[in-house]
Structure formats: structure tokens, C-alpha cells
Amino acid sequence: MPAIVAFTIALMVAFLQNRKLTFSEKLLVATKNMGHENVMIMCLVFLLAGAFSGAIQAAGGVQSTVNFSLSILPPNIAIAGLFLIACFISLSMGTSVGTIAALIPIAVGISEKTGLVGAMCLGSVVCGAMFGDNLSMISDTTIAATKTQGCEMKDKFKENLKIVLPAAILTFILFIVLASNATYHIEGNLDYSFFKIFPYLVVLGGALLGANVFIVLFIGTILSIIVGVTSGAIPWQDIFTVIAKGPTGSGGMFAMYDIMAISIVVAGIIGLVEENGGINFVLENIKRFIHGPREAQLGISFISSVMDISTANNTIAIVMAAPIVKNIANEYNISPQRAASLIDIFTSVWQGIIPYGAQLLYACAGAAAVGVYVTPLAIWPYLFYPVLMGISAIIFILLKK
């Protein structure tokens, strides 16, 4: 079932509840929530992020980034190096599935030439993809988490990084140990151009410096078009077409347009659920187990996890959990950047693990496309990063208020 259909049905169910309100009153509640400034800002950022993604891919930035990373890959740490490459590409692209699609054929090639388990190679790519999906400034999860919790992207990035960095380092070490005897020599054309990678660096640098995300993404899109046209990758008459393809193209299980539409519908559902007393009901039950900031953060982690397991999409899970998380964070004096980090981390933890999620399904489909058949469950033993990310976050919560 398409996700938008499922959420439309949920919206209809919410309209059928609460006989104290007329249909017109319910419609007013839903549409007022749909048009909330945070929802509209989030959708506009999604749109610009999609435009940048479409422009930079058409300009050859993705392939150039992949080739550059592969050209500096030490042959004696093939799998660990593949993990690092996936981290860098996902951080630049802001999409885990886009990273997986770009690197799975390479991962399969490494498996065949080194004799390493194919599932391990796929697992290293998925692990690295989830690193950037959780941290990237242009990731839809980062956009959703920061806008719904009311914090700056750079503040969330700093808070987030200190939690997940230990998990990334330990994952790198584990892959080195597991594949210590493997060597791999890259064959074929690995041409790259720093000129084509430059727009990525501008967007990442601008976001880290605290520049307005709208300005950063707009400049990144313009730079990508300039790079594409001057390098001959984009015919000048197609510049508007490649921008339009970004939001509608496949950046994950859903395109940016899909995410925007679902976010608006979910906002309407949340408005009705809140009006009907549903959010208070959830909060009252959760608060019975909360006695301070630590339990509050564990509660945020639990809610985020349940939402992602239920929806199999971390962005939608963030949007759905956001009002409850914000309420808990405000009551127990948890900073917006900490709340945004936790909601993003724990939705990403489960998104990188559940076998029916886009990430593992795309990894298996990509491998099958080049003749290697692996199941999501076969990749599970090598999904070190999502698991360690969750453990690191829990330790961080327990050790710090």
C-alpha cells in the first residue's frame, strides 16, 4: 500500500472520532495544523533539498565523489574503507538509500574479488549510509528533527556527532578486524573532479557555519547548475528539468514530494489526535515512568523507536513523534538540540535494522541487480553501526543529565 494512502485512511479515521465536534470544526483543526508555520518551513526545505540533490546528481557530483573516495581507498582495509566512503557520501548527499544505490555494485565487486562474505560488504555500506542519513545537513531526517524541535541544524549536528562518533569509530575498527586479510585493487575508470564535488563542500560548510538553510541550499543548487553546464554534464536547456527531477526522483523509498505530502497529512492527523485527547493520553501513560531528565530522554528514545518500527520511514516517524517529544523536552528541561538528536538517532537506529525498511530492501535489490542474492536477515550480523549508535546514545543518556 502506498504510504500516502495509509495515512489518508488514518486521517479519515481521526475525522470519524470525537462526536463532540462537527465535521467543519474537525476540518478547521486539521487544516490549521497542516498549515502551521513549522510544517510549511519544513516542506519548503524538503523542496530545496530535493532541488539541490537533482542538480548535483545531474552535474556528476555523486559519481565524482564516489570515484574520488574509491581512488584513495587503501586496498588492505577494503571493507572498513567502504564504510568510510559510505559515511562521506551519505553525509554529502543527505540520503542513505541514494548512497546504497551508488555503492552496492562496488560492494559486490569487492566481495567477489576478495572472497569476503557478500552480506558483510553490503552491511558496511548500509552502516555508512545510516551515518550520513542521521547527521547530514540536507537529510530529510535532520530537517524534520530540527524544525519540529525548534533548534539550529549546526547545534543539532554538534550534539548528535558527539553521541554517534564513538559508534562510528568502533564500527570502523570491527570491519578492519573482520576483513584484515582482504586486499582489493580498483579496476576501471575512476575519473573525478573537485570542481564537481565543490557544491557539496559549500553546502556542508555553510550549514556548519550556521548560515540560513534556505540560502545554503539555494546557493548549492545554483553552483551545481553552473558546474553541470560548464562541464558539459547538463545541457543549458535542461537546467530547470534537472532541478525539478530532484524532489520527484528517488532519494529513498519516497521522493521529496511524497515526504512533503505525507508530512502535511500527518500534521492534520496529529492535530485531530491532539484535539481528541490522544496525545495527552500517551503523555500521561509515559509520564508515569518518568521521574527526571534521564527517564524523559529514555522515553523520547522509546517513542521514536516505536514510531519508526511502525512506519518504516524515519522522517515520517520523526514528524509523528515530534509533538510528544517536544512536550516531554519542555517539561523536563531537555534542550531542543538534545531532543532533536535523540529523535533522529533512534529513528535511524531502527531504520537501519528493520528488514522491511527501505535501506535493507534497496541493498538486497541492488545486489540482486548484479547477480548476487542476499536477504535482509543475512545482512543483520554486520549492521554494527545502527546497533552501536543506539547503545552509545543510551550510555550518553545514563551518564549525562
Side-chain angles (χ1 to χ4, degrees), residues 23 35 38-39 49 53 66 70 72 77 129 152 160 178 185 195 219 228 252 268 298 322 337 339 358 366 381:
F23 180 83
N38 285 340
V39 177
S53 177
V66 171
L70 286 171
I72 60 173
I77 58 166
E152 295 295 325
N160 207 154
L178 286 175
H185 298 286
F195 184 52
I219 292 173
L298 291 172
Q337 57 265 32

PDB file of all heavy atoms in Angstrom, residues 23 35 38-39 49 53 66 70 72 77 129 152 160 178 185 195 219 228 252 268 298 322 337 339 358 366 381:
ATOM      1  N   PHE A  23     -18.163  18.121  11.748  1.00  0.00           N
ATOM      2  CA  PHE A  23     -17.184  17.846  10.697  1.00  0.00           C
ATOM      3  C   PHE A  23     -16.428  19.112  10.326  1.00  0.00           C
ATOM      4  O   PHE A  23     -15.214  19.089  10.112  1.00  0.00           O
ATOM      5  CB  PHE A  23     -17.882  17.265   9.463  1.00  0.00           C
ATOM      6  CG  PHE A  23     -16.934  16.950   8.339  1.00  0.00           C
ATOM      7  CD1 PHE A  23     -16.222  15.758   8.318  1.00  0.00           C
ATOM      8  CD2 PHE A  23     -16.732  17.858   7.300  1.00  0.00           C
ATOM      9  CE1 PHE A  23     -15.340  15.470   7.298  1.00  0.00           C
ATOM     10  CE2 PHE A  23     -15.858  17.576   6.268  1.00  0.00           C
ATOM     11  CZ  PHE A  23     -15.159  16.372   6.273  1.00  0.00           C
ATOM     12  N   GLY A  35      -1.288  23.690   8.099  1.00  0.00           N
ATOM     13  CA  GLY A  35      -0.696  24.945   7.641  1.00  0.00           C
ATOM     14  C   GLY A  35       0.191  25.625   8.662  1.00  0.00           C
ATOM     15  O   GLY A  35       0.571  26.784   8.472  1.00  0.00           O
ATOM     16  N   ASN A  38       5.796  25.803  11.071  1.00  0.00           N
ATOM     17  CA  ASN A  38       6.898  24.835  11.116  1.00  0.00           C
ATOM     18  C   ASN A  38       6.743  23.758  10.049  1.00  0.00           C
ATOM     19  O   ASN A  38       7.725  23.310   9.451  1.00  0.00           O
ATOM     20  CB  ASN A  38       6.988  24.181  12.495  1.00  0.00           C
ATOM     21  CG  ASN A  38       7.575  25.121  13.531  1.00  0.00           C
ATOM     22  OD1 ASN A  38       8.237  26.099  13.187  1.00  0.00           O
ATOM     23  ND2 ASN A  38       7.327  24.845  14.799  1.00  0.00           N
ATOM     24  N   VAL A  39       5.500  23.341   9.811  1.00  0.00           N
ATOM     25  CA  VAL A  39       5.229  22.327   8.781  1.00  0.00           C
ATOM     26  C   VAL A  39       5.552  22.890   7.403  1.00  0.00           C
ATOM     27  O   VAL A  39       6.191  22.230   6.570  1.00  0.00           O
ATOM     28  CB  VAL A  39       3.760  21.859   8.839  1.00  0.00           C
ATOM     29  CG1 VAL A  39       3.463  20.867   7.714  1.00  0.00           C
ATOM     30  CG2 VAL A  39       3.450  21.223  10.192  1.00  0.00           C
ATOM     31  N   ALA A  49      16.018  20.995  -0.746  1.00  0.00           N
ATOM     32  CA  ALA A  49      16.974  19.896  -0.634  1.00  0.00           C
ATOM     33  C   ALA A  49      16.844  18.955  -1.830  1.00  0.00           C
ATOM     34  O   ALA A  49      17.841  18.461  -2.370  1.00  0.00           O
ATOM     35  CB  ALA A  49      16.753  19.131   0.668  1.00  0.00           C
ATOM     36  N   SER A  53      19.669  18.185  -4.664  1.00  0.00           N
ATOM     37  CA  SER A  53      20.021  16.794  -4.944  1.00  0.00           C
ATOM     38  C   SER A  53      19.926  16.483  -6.432  1.00  0.00           C
ATOM     39  O   SER A  53      20.820  15.858  -7.016  1.00  0.00           O
ATOM     40  CB  SER A  53      19.102  15.855  -4.152  1.00  0.00           C
ATOM     41  OG  SER A  53      19.366  14.510  -4.456  1.00  0.00           O
ATOM     42  N   VAL A  66      32.078   9.528  -5.445  1.00  0.00           N
ATOM     43  CA  VAL A  66      32.324   8.085  -5.303  1.00  0.00           C
ATOM     44  C   VAL A  66      33.709   7.729  -5.843  1.00  0.00           C
ATOM     45  O   VAL A  66      34.493   7.025  -5.189  1.00  0.00           O
ATOM     46  CB  VAL A  66      31.238   7.266  -6.027  1.00  0.00           C
ATOM     47  CG1 VAL A  66      31.612   5.790  -6.066  1.00  0.00           C
ATOM     48  CG2 VAL A  66      29.890   7.443  -5.348  1.00  0.00           C
ATOM     49  N   LEU A  70      36.913   6.204  -3.808  1.00  0.00           N
ATOM     50  CA  LEU A  70      37.480   4.901  -4.165  1.00  0.00           C
ATOM     51  C   LEU A  70      38.953   5.008  -4.550  1.00  0.00           C
ATOM     52  O   LEU A  70      39.735   4.087  -4.298  1.00  0.00           O
ATOM     53  CB  LEU A  70      36.688   4.286  -5.320  1.00  0.00           C
ATOM     54  CG  LEU A  70      35.307   3.727  -4.973  1.00  0.00           C
ATOM     55  CD1 LEU A  70      34.572   3.352  -6.241  1.00  0.00           C
ATOM     56  CD2 LEU A  70      35.432   2.527  -4.049  1.00  0.00           C
ATOM     57  N   ILE A  72      41.223   6.770  -3.260  1.00  0.00           N
ATOM     58  CA  ILE A  72      42.108   6.877  -2.096  1.00  0.00           C
ATOM     59  C   ILE A  72      41.878   5.734  -1.108  1.00  0.00           C
ATOM     60  O   ILE A  72      42.382   5.779   0.011  1.00  0.00           O
ATOM     61  CB  ILE A  72      41.921   8.241  -1.388  1.00  0.00           C
ATOM     62  CG1 ILE A  72      40.483   8.405  -0.898  1.00  0.00           C
ATOM     63  CG2 ILE A  72      42.314   9.388  -2.301  1.00  0.00           C
ATOM     64  CD1 ILE A  72      40.273   9.648  -0.040  1.00  0.00           C
ATOM     65  N   ILE A  77      42.375  -2.334   3.691  1.00  0.00           N
ATOM     66  CA  ILE A  77      41.220  -2.124   4.576  1.00  0.00           C
ATOM     67  C   ILE A  77      39.975  -1.907   3.715  1.00  0.00           C
ATOM     68  O   ILE A  77      39.224  -0.953   3.912  1.00  0.00           O
ATOM     69  CB  ILE A  77      41.455  -0.948   5.541  1.00  0.00           C
ATOM     70  CG1 ILE A  77      41.739   0.360   4.777  1.00  0.00           C
ATOM     71  CG2 ILE A  77      42.559  -1.250   6.531  1.00  0.00           C
ATOM     72  CD1 ILE A  77      41.647   1.594   5.664  1.00  0.00           C
ATOM     73  N   ALA A 129      25.870   4.418   5.277  1.00  0.00           N
ATOM     74  CA  ALA A 129      24.731   5.192   4.772  1.00  0.00           C
ATOM     75  C   ALA A 129      23.906   5.764   5.916  1.00  0.00           C
ATOM     76  O   ALA A 129      23.428   6.903   5.851  1.00  0.00           O
ATOM     77  CB  ALA A 129      23.862   4.312   3.876  1.00  0.00           C
ATOM     78  N   GLU A 152      18.686  24.962  15.802  1.00  0.00           N
ATOM     79  CA  GLU A 152      19.502  25.176  14.613  1.00  0.00           C
ATOM     80  C   GLU A 152      20.177  23.872  14.198  1.00  0.00           C
ATOM     81  O   GLU A 152      20.534  23.051  15.040  1.00  0.00           O
ATOM     82  CB  GLU A 152      20.574  26.229  14.880  1.00  0.00           C
ATOM     83  CG  GLU A 152      20.029  27.625  15.165  1.00  0.00           C
ATOM     84  CD  GLU A 152      19.311  28.214  13.968  1.00  0.00           C
ATOM     85  OE1 GLU A 152      19.734  27.948  12.829  1.00  0.00           O
ATOM     86  OE2 GLU A 152      18.327  28.946  14.177  1.00  0.00           O
ATOM     87  N   ASN A 160      24.633  15.805  18.130  1.00  0.00           N
ATOM     88  CA  ASN A 160      24.474  14.488  17.526  1.00  0.00           C
ATOM     89  C   ASN A 160      25.816  13.782  17.323  1.00  0.00           C
ATOM     90  O   ASN A 160      25.980  12.594  17.622  1.00  0.00           O
ATOM     91  CB  ASN A 160      23.761  14.655  16.186  1.00  0.00           C
ATOM     92  CG  ASN A 160      22.981  13.432  15.770  1.00  0.00           C
ATOM     93  OD1 ASN A 160      22.011  13.521  15.034  1.00  0.00           O
ATOM     94  ND2 ASN A 160      23.371  12.262  16.206  1.00  0.00           N
ATOM     95  N   LEU A 178      37.529  -7.800  11.064  1.00  0.00           N
ATOM     96  CA  LEU A 178      36.837  -8.879  10.348  1.00  0.00           C
ATOM     97  C   LEU A 178      37.413  -9.125   8.958  1.00  0.00           C
ATOM     98  O   LEU A 178      37.366 -10.247   8.454  1.00  0.00           O
ATOM     99  CB  LEU A 178      35.345  -8.563  10.230  1.00  0.00           C
ATOM    100  CG  LEU A 178      34.515  -8.707  11.511  1.00  0.00           C
ATOM    101  CD1 LEU A 178      33.088  -8.256  11.271  1.00  0.00           C
ATOM    102  CD2 LEU A 178      34.528 -10.158  12.003  1.00  0.00           C
ATOM    103  N   HIS A 185      41.988  -4.441  -5.412  1.00  0.00           N
ATOM    104  CA  HIS A 185      42.574  -3.453  -6.320  1.00  0.00           C
ATOM    105  C   HIS A 185      41.480  -2.919  -7.232  1.00  0.00           C
ATOM    106  O   HIS A 185      40.811  -3.678  -7.935  1.00  0.00           O
ATOM    107  CB  HIS A 185      43.699  -4.077  -7.144  1.00  0.00           C
ATOM    108  CG  HIS A 185      44.825  -4.575  -6.286  1.00  0.00           C
ATOM    109  ND1 HIS A 185      45.720  -3.730  -5.674  1.00  0.00           N
ATOM    110  CD2 HIS A 185      45.181  -5.830  -5.926  1.00  0.00           C
ATOM    111  CE1 HIS A 185      46.596  -4.441  -4.979  1.00  0.00           C
ATOM    112  NE2 HIS A 185      46.291  -5.723  -5.110  1.00  0.00           N
ATOM    113  N   PHE A 195      35.999  20.069  -8.918  1.00  0.00           N
ATOM    114  CA  PHE A 195      35.052  21.094  -9.357  1.00  0.00           C
ATOM    115  C   PHE A 195      33.614  20.601  -9.168  1.00  0.00           C
ATOM    116  O   PHE A 195      32.732  21.357  -8.743  1.00  0.00           O
ATOM    117  CB  PHE A 195      35.338  21.416 -10.828  1.00  0.00           C
ATOM    118  CG  PHE A 195      34.498  22.541 -11.388  1.00  0.00           C
ATOM    119  CD1 PHE A 195      34.421  23.762 -10.744  1.00  0.00           C
ATOM    120  CD2 PHE A 195      33.796  22.370 -12.578  1.00  0.00           C
ATOM    121  CE1 PHE A 195      33.665  24.804 -11.257  1.00  0.00           C
ATOM    122  CE2 PHE A 195      33.040  23.400 -13.110  1.00  0.00           C
ATOM    123  CZ  PHE A 195      32.972  24.614 -12.445  1.00  0.00           C
ATOM    124  N   ILE A 219      22.148  28.450  -2.884  1.00  0.00           N
ATOM    125  CA  ILE A 219      23.494  28.643  -3.445  1.00  0.00           C
ATOM    126  C   ILE A 219      24.050  27.321  -3.968  1.00  0.00           C
ATOM    127  O   ILE A 219      24.648  27.265  -5.052  1.00  0.00           O
ATOM    128  CB  ILE A 219      24.442  29.244  -2.382  1.00  0.00           C
ATOM    129  CG1 ILE A 219      24.019  30.678  -2.056  1.00  0.00           C
ATOM    130  CG2 ILE A 219      25.893  29.207  -2.859  1.00  0.00           C
ATOM    131  CD1 ILE A 219      24.784  31.305  -0.909  1.00  0.00           C
ATOM    132  N   GLY A 228      27.514  21.897 -13.694  1.00  0.00           N
ATOM    133  CA  GLY A 228      26.990  20.975 -14.701  1.00  0.00           C
ATOM    134  C   GLY A 228      27.040  21.535 -16.103  1.00  0.00           C
ATOM    135  O   GLY A 228      27.436  20.849 -17.049  1.00  0.00           O
ATOM    136  N   GLY A 252      15.110   7.912  -1.817  1.00  0.00           N
ATOM    137  CA  GLY A 252      14.855   6.982  -0.735  1.00  0.00           C
ATOM    138  C   GLY A 252      13.647   6.184  -1.124  1.00  0.00           C
ATOM    139  O   GLY A 252      13.302   6.097  -2.301  1.00  0.00           O
ATOM    140  N   GLY A 268      -2.085  17.028   9.929  1.00  0.00           N
ATOM    141  CA  GLY A 268      -3.528  17.064  10.133  1.00  0.00           C
ATOM    142  C   GLY A 268      -3.998  15.984  11.092  1.00  0.00           C
ATOM    143  O   GLY A 268      -4.844  16.227  11.963  1.00  0.00           O
ATOM    144  N   LEU A 298      14.997   8.723  27.874  1.00  0.00           N
ATOM    145  CA  LEU A 298      14.713   7.323  27.510  1.00  0.00           C
ATOM    146  C   LEU A 298      13.307   7.201  26.937  1.00  0.00           C
ATOM    147  O   LEU A 298      13.067   6.413  26.014  1.00  0.00           O
ATOM    148  CB  LEU A 298      14.881   6.418  28.733  1.00  0.00           C
ATOM    149  CG  LEU A 298      16.321   6.239  29.247  1.00  0.00           C
ATOM    150  CD1 LEU A 298      16.321   5.472  30.568  1.00  0.00           C
ATOM    151  CD2 LEU A 298      17.183   5.516  28.215  1.00  0.00           C
ATOM    152  N   ALA A 322       7.084  14.005  16.975  1.00  0.00           N
ATOM    153  CA  ALA A 322       7.579  15.340  17.341  1.00  0.00           C
ATOM    154  C   ALA A 322       6.784  16.057  18.433  1.00  0.00           C
ATOM    155  O   ALA A 322       7.383  16.574  19.384  1.00  0.00           O
ATOM    156  CB  ALA A 322       7.667  16.218  16.090  1.00  0.00           C
ATOM    157  N   GLN A 337      18.197  20.853  20.929  1.00  0.00           N
ATOM    158  CA  GLN A 337      19.166  20.098  20.132  1.00  0.00           C
ATOM    159  C   GLN A 337      19.357  18.674  20.648  1.00  0.00           C
ATOM    160  O   GLN A 337      19.582  17.751  19.877  1.00  0.00           O
ATOM    161  CB  GLN A 337      20.515  20.820  20.060  1.00  0.00           C
ATOM    162  CG  GLN A 337      21.167  21.135  21.386  1.00  0.00           C
ATOM    163  CD  GLN A 337      20.852  22.544  21.848  1.00  0.00           C
ATOM    164  OE1 GLN A 337      19.780  23.068  21.569  1.00  0.00           O
ATOM    165  NE2 GLN A 337      21.808  23.155  22.557  1.00  0.00           N
ATOM    166  N   ALA A 339      16.914  16.925  22.188  1.00  0.00           N
ATOM    167  CA  ALA A 339      15.680  16.240  21.786  1.00  0.00           C
ATOM    168  C   ALA A 339      15.721  15.892  20.302  1.00  0.00           C
ATOM    169  O   ALA A 339      15.363  14.784  19.904  1.00  0.00           O
ATOM    170  CB  ALA A 339      14.468  17.115  22.090  1.00  0.00           C
ATOM    171  N   ALA A 358      13.440   0.645   3.852  1.00  0.00           N
ATOM    172  CA  ALA A 358      13.961   0.937   2.506  1.00  0.00           C
ATOM    173  C   ALA A 358      15.430   0.586   2.372  1.00  0.00           C
ATOM    174  O   ALA A 358      15.868   0.089   1.334  1.00  0.00           O
ATOM    175  CB  ALA A 358      13.738   2.419   2.200  1.00  0.00           C
ATOM    176  N   GLY A 366      19.702  -3.997  -4.978  1.00  0.00           N
ATOM    177  CA  GLY A 366      20.876  -3.577  -5.738  1.00  0.00           C
ATOM    178  C   GLY A 366      21.842  -4.719  -5.976  1.00  0.00           C
ATOM    179  O   GLY A 366      22.425  -4.843  -7.061  1.00  0.00           O
ATOM    180  N   PRO A 381      23.912  -9.606  10.881  1.00  0.00           N
ATOM    181  CA  PRO A 381      25.099  -9.743  11.750  1.00  0.00           C
ATOM    182  C   PRO A 381      26.160  -8.672  11.527  1.00  0.00           C
ATOM    183  O   PRO A 381      27.056  -8.516  12.371  1.00  0.00           O
ATOM    184  CB  PRO A 381      25.645 -11.133  11.368  1.00  0.00           C
ATOM    185  CG  PRO A 381      24.490 -11.856  10.778  1.00  0.00           C
ATOM    186  CD  PRO A 381      23.695 -10.812  10.064  1.00  0.00           C
TER     187      PRO A 381
END
